[in-house]
Amino acid sequence: MPKVLKSAVPAEQVAAGRDDVAERVRAIIADIRERGDAAVRDYSAKFDSWSPESFRVSPEQVEEILARVPAQVLADIRFVQDQVRTFAQHQRDSLKEFEVETLPGVHLGQKHVPVAAAGAYVPGGRYPLTASAHMTIVTAKVAGVPRVAACTPPIRGEVPDATVAAMHLAGADEIYLLGGVQAVAALAAGTETIGRVDLIAGPGNAYVAEAKRQLFGEVGIDLFAGPTEVLIVADHTADPFVVAVDLLSQAEHGPDSPAVLITTSAGLAREVLDHVEALLPGMPTRDFAEPAWRDHGEIHVVDSVDEAFALADTYASEHVQVLTEQPRQALEKMRDYGALFLGPGTCVSYGDKVIGTNHVLPTRGAARYTGGLWVGKYLKTVTYQEVTSSESSVRLGEVCGRAARVELFEGHARSGDVRAAEFRRGELSWNPA
């Protein structure tokens, strides 16, 4: 049985306050549906102190912004986008279209059709998540989406230059300095100046996540997301200092970000706890990392690596970092995770910022049933059928008639009867003529 060295606060306590968020989001969405741009402007002014003549960034403004961004920052953005684009292109190339002849003259096919318009939400607030522009926009463009409308909030009344530059270089067709529920609702429902989209992707705070949840169905979304999560599986070979640093690297996302260690070494567990307590006071992001670790940090000691993998699967964590003697065992042993990071040479921060896999990943146990954002999310896999053989149409029509009548669908049955009768020149007993 696992021994718990550190536990998190009860789940009921974490859930407190979600109902209030949901109600406030519902009211904002309803107001934007009714008043359109006027409501969007009111909420932007209220929440972000931002009410420009136009929320859309013009080509001239983009050029001015690019000129303000340091050359090294632009070079790094291009490098990272190349990594994301390369991986997304490999994903796209793995998706095959086909056509097969399943019976003589019966042709069935599959196609991958990109959505016509996608919305990309790039968070701002305390952290301007420039990397989210790469993940949402580049991936959509590799999928072939013709129109990508991207939104990011101003930060304390200022334009987030690096984020806008990343959105432009990623290939966004429209860029809006607009954030929060008002941005998501405008993209989903459309306003006088913002055209509606078919799918919205990108992370955000609790209000953005709730807005996506409420609008799902009216618009597609990438996935339901909550606070960032990290889980580390470690054995005696892991460096406890590195483990501590990597746990805190994700805890700084927010005060509600879970950070979990599962280890086979009680000694390592105690050393990690000591390192975390030593590192926290000097962290510039201590105001987020400290409550995250205090309330949502966990350390479990188990008897074997297999037991560690099994326990890790019960969390279905967004990020799982494997620091064991044979880290690739996780590929065979584990099932439920958003992304795996194998061995000491990589880390979750690489996935977040630079390595090329997508950082928009499932949280709150959603990894039990979905992976993260990928090029296929922007594609609709559709099918088509054609029957060019009269003999096959007769056979299918006869079977369709019988199968439909078992289900009491007489209309369906008659569609089959008509084809069977036409090609074999038979009678239709139900036809009054």
Side-chain angles (χ1 to χ4, degrees):
M1 292 292 292
K3 302 177 182 66
V4 181
L5 190 61
K6 183 185 184 308
S7 59
V9 298
E12 298 77 16
Q13 186 174 330
V14 176
R18 287 184 189 163
D19 289 345
D20 180 58
V21 170
E23 191 53 43
R24 293 175 68 182
V25 167
R26 190 172 293 110
I28 294 171
I29 291 173
D31 193 18
I32 290 173
R33 287 191 195 281
E34 182 177 347
R35 297 195 296 125
D37 281 339
V40 169
R41 184 169 298 281
D42 287 348
Y43 290 114
S44 181
K46 177 180 179 180
F47 297 128
D48 290 323
S49 303
W50 186 254
S51 182
E53 183 178 341
S54 172
F55 289 106
R56 184 168 178 176
V57 181
S58 69
E60 294 76 20
Q61 289 173 307
V62 169
E63 291 305 317
E64 293 172 5
I65 289 168
L66 288 171
R68 295 198 298 262
V69 179
Q72 186 62 63
V73 174
L74 292 176
D76 289 343
I77 287 172
R78 290 188 173 98
F79 171 83
V80 176
Q81 290 186 351
D82 282 346
Q83 312 316 303
V84 175
R85 188 174 293 107
T86 296
F87 188 75
Q89 188 61 57
H90 280 291
Q91 289 183 322
R92 182 65 184 89
D93 293 343
S94 74
L95 296 169
K96 303 301 182 185
E97 296 184 346
F98 64 85
E99 184 175 298
V100 293
E101 189 173 11
T102 57
L103 292 170
V106 177
H107 305 275
L108 308 181
Q110 171 177 289
K111 287 176 60 66
H112 302 293
V113 181
V115 298
Y121 188 83
V122 182
R126 172 168 181 166
Y127 300 127
L129 292 184
T130 303
S132 288
H134 321 327
M135 306 301 174
T136 54
I137 301 167
V138 169
T139 307
K141 282 301 180 183
V142 171
V145 178
R147 172 181 165 242
V148 178
C151 289
T152 195
I155 299 179
R156 293 177 291 278
E158 300 291 331
V159 176
D161 288 347
T163 301
V164 174
M167 295 161 88
H168 170 72
L169 294 174
D173 300 287
E174 303 162 20
I175 298 174
Y176 298 92
L177 279 176
L178 182 66
V181 176
Q182 57 270 23
V184 176
L187 289 171
T191 70
E192 298 93 320
T193 59
I194 300 175
R196 63 178 296 178
V197 299
D198 304 307
L199 183 144
I200 297 174
N205 63 18
Y207 288 90
V208 168
E210 177 61 21
K212 288 168 64 180
R213 189 190 70 80
Q214 291 188 21
L215 289 161
F216 177 56
E218 177 178 350
V219 67
I221 65 170
D222 47 359
L223 45 83
F224 296 113
T228 293
E229 305 164 348
V230 62
L231 185 149
I232 296 179
V233 175
D235 63 12
H236 65 283
T237 66
D239 183 330
F241 180 75
V242 171
V243 173
V245 169
D246 288 348
L247 287 169
L248 292 178
S249 74
Q250 295 301 298
E252 73 177 356
H253 271 278
D256 51 357
S257 290
V260 179
L261 169 63
I262 301 173
T263 180
T264 57
S265 169
L268 179 132
R270 287 189 290 271
E271 288 187 64
V272 168
L273 191 56
D274 290 342
H275 282 306
V276 168
E277 292 174 354
L279 287 166
L280 266 174
M283 282 191 73
T285 50
R286 175 184 176 182
D287 56 335
F288 276 3
E290 190 169 56
W293 177 250
R294 181 192 67 224
D295 296 338
H296 305 283
E298 299 180 40
I299 298 179
H300 300 268
V301 180
V302 296
D303 294 328
S304 68
V305 172
D306 281 353
E307 188 179 348
F309 288 147
L311 180 58
D313 261 347
T314 67
Y315 283 84
S317 181
E318 177 186 19
H319 307 105
V320 175
Q321 197 167 335
V322 184
L323 299 174
T324 61
E325 197 166 18
Q326 295 178 288
R328 292 182 70 87
Q329 286 182 336
L331 292 170
E332 301 298 325
K333 301 282 188 179
M334 289 194 65
R335 178 184 298 272
D336 298 326
Y337 52 84
L340 280 179
F341 300 83
L342 304 175
T346 188
C347 59
V348 175
S349 295
Y350 282 5
D352 281 347
K353 307 300 181 187
V354 298
I355 208 165
T357 50
N358 209 292
H359 79 192
V360 182
L361 297 166
T363 64
R364 288 181 175 160
R368 292 180 298 105
Y369 59 83
T370 186
L373 180 62
W374 70 298
V375 72
K377 181 62 70 171
Y378 296 97
L379 299 169
K380 299 174 291 182
T381 300
V382 297
T383 60
Y384 61 92
Q385 310 86 33
E386 182 182 24
V387 180
T388 59
S389 162
S390 57
E391 290 81 1
S392 288
S393 192
V394 167
R395 181 178 178 187
L396 291 170
E398 290 173 343
V399 175
C400 179
R402 294 194 297 269
R405 288 187 173 98
V406 168
E407 297 176 345
L408 306 182
F409 276 95
E410 182 62 23
H412 285 64
R414 292 180 178 188
S415 285
D417 293 349
V418 164
R419 285 158 180 81
E422 179 180 350
F423 290 121
R424 72 167 185 257
R425 302 192 182 280
E427 297 293 326
L428 294 170
S429 60
W430 46 261
N431 184 4

